[in-house]
Amino acid sequence: MTTPADTAPRIPEAVHRRRWAILGVLMLSLLIVVLDNSILNVAIKTISTPAPTGLGATQSELEWAINSYTLVFAGLLFSAGLLGDRLGRKKVLLGGLLVFGIGSALAASSGSPVELISFRAVMGLGAAFVMPATLAVLMNVFERDEQPKAIGIWAGGVGLAIAIGPITGGVLLDHFWWGSVFLINVPIVIVAIGLMIWLVPDSRDPKPGRIDPVGVVLSVIGLVLLVYGIIKGGQLADFTDAKVLATIGAGLVVLVGFVVHEKRSDHPSIDIDYFKNKVFSAAIAAIALVFFALMGVTFFSVFYTQSVRGYSPLQTGLLMLPLAVAQLIFAPRARLVVDRFGNRATTTAGMLTIAAMLGAFAVLEADTPIWILEVVFFLMGAGMAHIMTPTSVVIMQALPREKAGSASALSNTFRQVGGALGIAVLGSVLSAAYRSGIEDKLPEAARHEAGESIEATLGFAAKLGPKGDALIGPANDAFLHAMHVTALCGAGVAVVGALVVYLFLPGRTPAKTEKETDLVSADH
């Protein structure tokens, strides 16, 4: 059994001295990647409004505007991590930021939903190279004993981005056109690139793996087919439709083919052997499940606050502030809770808190006091902080430092795939439940289009003039019923996550377990 190189201090003194400044630059890069999704959540209602205010995007087009970014991001993350390990993480970070900035400028000038979906995919391409490189650089500028603290601050940065996103989006939408939510990324990219060239050292894996183009293609095709099938099922309100079943089935078959290919390949995109480590697998599953639940909820909560409750985009952004404030407060401190109670107790409690808060959405009505929603968001953020920090530390320390890019990419791949599936599955449940509740209130000729979402119904009602007022009450009722059903589905997913982490994460001796898994990883 060999001793891993990680145990000896080996970070140059000049880099060690500026490690916190480097962390600040990495968080700025991370900020825009995460900010982009949270900023879009507030803008989706505006983008769904007909031109000239928005683009008149349907609910399925909105889901694709979010998921085209997420799927390209998730599909390329692992290859981006490997490229960073091979070419140098700083180079990959700079290239990723540049592509992300160009994609943002193009998305801001989109003239149709299809253009927006395409340019969001370009942004996803850039983001895929930014996200894993930030965590990989972090692991290479901090010694092992400081890594949990640095990862806690990094996770808090994700919370900060989730907070700033909706508020920034709300302010921009109050004063400018919808494209400004993308254009805002460009100056941030320019500042981040300048600081990165100045401060961040380059690092790479001395023994990088070869790139696996077949694996990349299979993973992207499989995910796109799976998500497309799920979104189509929600759009039709019929998951038994032959096209829907065929598309979902084809996606699953391609993903199985991807796993088989990875197991046989001598240079796989994802080393399937990593998953033999139960602690590592459970931590990855927890991250995927928490983002599945969270992204789905964020998607429908915006329609609840804006369409049903009548709040503006800025007010909606401010209403989501407790979610992020809780993460900012608790993410950097979660390691102290882990030190006292262990990974298993901390993450299980976090998962059960999220499950309970998702369940709470099932009792929200059109006139529920708004402070109740604020408490729900705050507790959800607290629960998330106590999952993200411990699981990120477990994942990053389960593999040797040289594989930091791979470990980070795996963590982020599953987080993004979980989020994409959350939007697709819970968005489709919402769409199907809403359609079944409103269809019989609509004229037969308008049922297909006007029944797809509450925004579509309210848009149809506005065209009818005073006669359309009779549709507003039923539309709100149908949406609330659909939201309750969707929230309970999300709560069920979070309970499964709690069970996974309770069964497989280590208890009160995490340091020993991490050391052992590190030794095993070094042996591999």
Side-chain angles (χ1 to χ4, degrees), residues 182-325:
F182 300 114
L183 204 58
I184 190 73
N185 293 332
V186 177
I188 304 174
V189 164
I190 293 167
V191 172
I193 287 175
L195 288 171
M196 198 163 291
I197 291 168
W198 177 38
L199 282 172
V200 176
D202 210 353
S203 62
R204 66 183 74 200
D205 185 346
K207 296 175 186 171
R210 289 181 11 237
I211 300 300
D212 170 28
V214 176
V216 174
V217 170
L218 286 175
S219 63
V220 173
I221 291 173
L223 284 171
V224 169
L225 285 171
L226 178 63
V227 170
Y228 179 80
I230 293 167
I231 291 175
K232 194 71 183 168
Q235 194 181 353
L236 299 172
D238 181 11
F239 286 91
T240 60
D241 181 85
K243 278 185 191 169
V244 172
L245 289 175
T247 312
I248 292 173
L252 291 172
V253 167
V254 174
L255 289 173
V256 169
F258 166 72
V259 172
V260 171
H261 169 76
E262 297 301 285
K263 288 186 86 164
R264 291 180 178 172
S265 174
D266 60 353
H267 58 286
S269 278
I270 294 178
D271 189 340
I272 304 295
D273 285 345
Y274 291 161
F275 293 94
K276 289 177 181 172
N277 180 334
K278 286 179 184 175
V279 173
F280 182 82
S281 297
I284 287 277
I287 280 182
L289 291 169
V290 77
F291 267 81
F292 179 99
L294 193 86
M295 292 299 284
V297 168
T298 312
F299 189 77
F300 68 65
S301 65
V302 170
F303 286 103
Y304 171 68
T305 52
Q306 291 188 36
S307 300
V308 176
R309 301 299 296 257
Y311 289 102
S312 71
L314 176 56
Q315 289 169 327
T316 297
L318 292 168
L319 286 172
M320 293 174 79
L321 195 55
L323 177 75
V325 168

Side-chain angles (χ1 to χ4, degrees), residues 146-196:
E146 278 190 322
Q147 285 171 5
K149 184 180 180 184
I151 289 173
I153 295 169
W154 181 89
V158 176
L160 179 67
I162 291 170
I164 294 173
I167 295 166
T168 309
V171 170
L172 290 169
L173 291 170
D174 267 9
H175 295 92
F176 306 102
W177 94 117
W178 64 266
S180 59
V181 300
F182 300 114
L183 204 58
I184 190 73
N185 293 332
V186 177
I188 304 174
V189 164
I190 293 167
V191 172
I193 287 175
L195 288 171
M196 198 163 291

Side-chain angles (χ1 to χ4, degrees), residues 1 17 65 94 96 146 150 220 236 369 385 417 435 440 449 521:
M1 189 174 278
R17 274 202 310 272
L94 290 169
E146 278 190 322
V220 173
L236 299 172
V417 169
R435 187 183 284 281
D440 58 348
E449 279 189 21
S521 302

Side-chain angles (χ1 to χ4, degrees), residues 325-348:
V325 168
Q327 285 193 67
L328 275 176
I329 293 169
F330 294 111
R333 294 171 177 80
R335 66 195 168 83
L336 305 174
V337 182
V338 172
D339 289 346
R340 180 153 184 194
F341 299 105
N343 274 312
R344 180 189 300 148
T346 306
T347 48
T348 303

